[in-house]
Amino acid sequence: MEDAVERTQDFLDSLDITGDLAYHIVLLTSEALTNAMEHGNQWNADLQATLEITAEADIVEVSVTDEGPGFDLSTVGDPIETENLLKGRGRGLFFMELMAEEVHREAEGRRLRLVFRRKA
């Protein structure tokens, strides 16, 4: 995980992406990878989680894919419901929706694509 975060930061530095945008991309990349390893692959060391980051002139896209069974978004609790407010976990997907321009769940929940727009 440390290596993935460091490589993500280096990639963003090479594109001169700093500040809040860089913070959001690194944070959500780390969260997506953690979700892929924990919830997707269920910490099975025989399964892979793959990270791909691409950039165009005004877009950075992060794609994380796992080899797990996938997931149904309707089974994920709403972190702003009263019974979930004090829980120490369960906010990753919520933050993705807030911080990324677009969130795409693909391959029956095994791939997550996050799209970030660079402001001119």
Side-chain angles (χ1 to χ4, degrees), residues 24 27-36 38-39 71 73 76-80 87-100 103 105 112 114 116:
H24 292 167
L27 175 68
L28 298 183
T29 297
S30 174
E31 180 64 29
L33 276 170
T34 299
N35 285 351
E38 179 179 354
H39 302 294
F71 79 98
L73 185 59
V76 178
D78 184 345
I80 59 174
K87 290 184 177 178
R89 303 173 44 93
R91 291 173 183 77
L93 294 173
F94 176 75
F95 286 134
M96 289 176 193
E97 293 289 344
L98 286 176
M99 294 180 198
V103 178
R105 291 166 196 86
L112 179 71
L114 304 170
F116 301 89

Side-chain angles (χ1 to χ4, degrees), residues 1-14:
M1 179 64 74
E2 244 178 73
D3 184 50
V5 169
E6 185 176 318
R7 286 176 182 230
T8 300
Q9 186 63 60
D10 290 346
F11 181 70
L12 298 175
D13 288 347
S14 76

Side-chain angles (χ1 to χ4, degrees), residues 14-102:
S14 76
L15 298 171
D16 200 28
I17 296 175
T18 59
D20 287 345
L21 180 57
Y23 174 75
H24 292 167
I25 294 171
V26 171
L27 175 68
L28 298 183
T29 297
S30 174
E31 180 64 29
L33 276 170
T34 299
N35 285 351
M37 292 184 300
E38 179 179 354
H39 302 294
N41 293 344
Q42 301 171 355
W43 298 118
N44 182 337
D46 294 328
L47 301 178
Q48 298 283 321
T50 306
L51 168 64
E52 181 179 358
I53 303 175
T54 59
E56 295 178 16
D58 62 343
I59 292 175
V60 175
E61 185 171 299
V62 174
S63 178
V64 174
T65 306
D66 65 62
E67 295 180 335
F71 79 98
D72 178 359
L73 185 59
S74 68
T75 64
V76 178
D78 184 345
I80 59 174
E81 290 291 323
T82 303
E83 67 270 12
N84 296 328
L85 287 176
L86 298 178
K87 290 184 177 178
R89 303 173 44 93
R91 291 173 183 77
L93 294 173
F94 176 75
F95 286 134
M96 289 176 193
E97 293 289 344
L98 286 176
M99 294 180 198
E101 295 288 329
E102 298 174 29

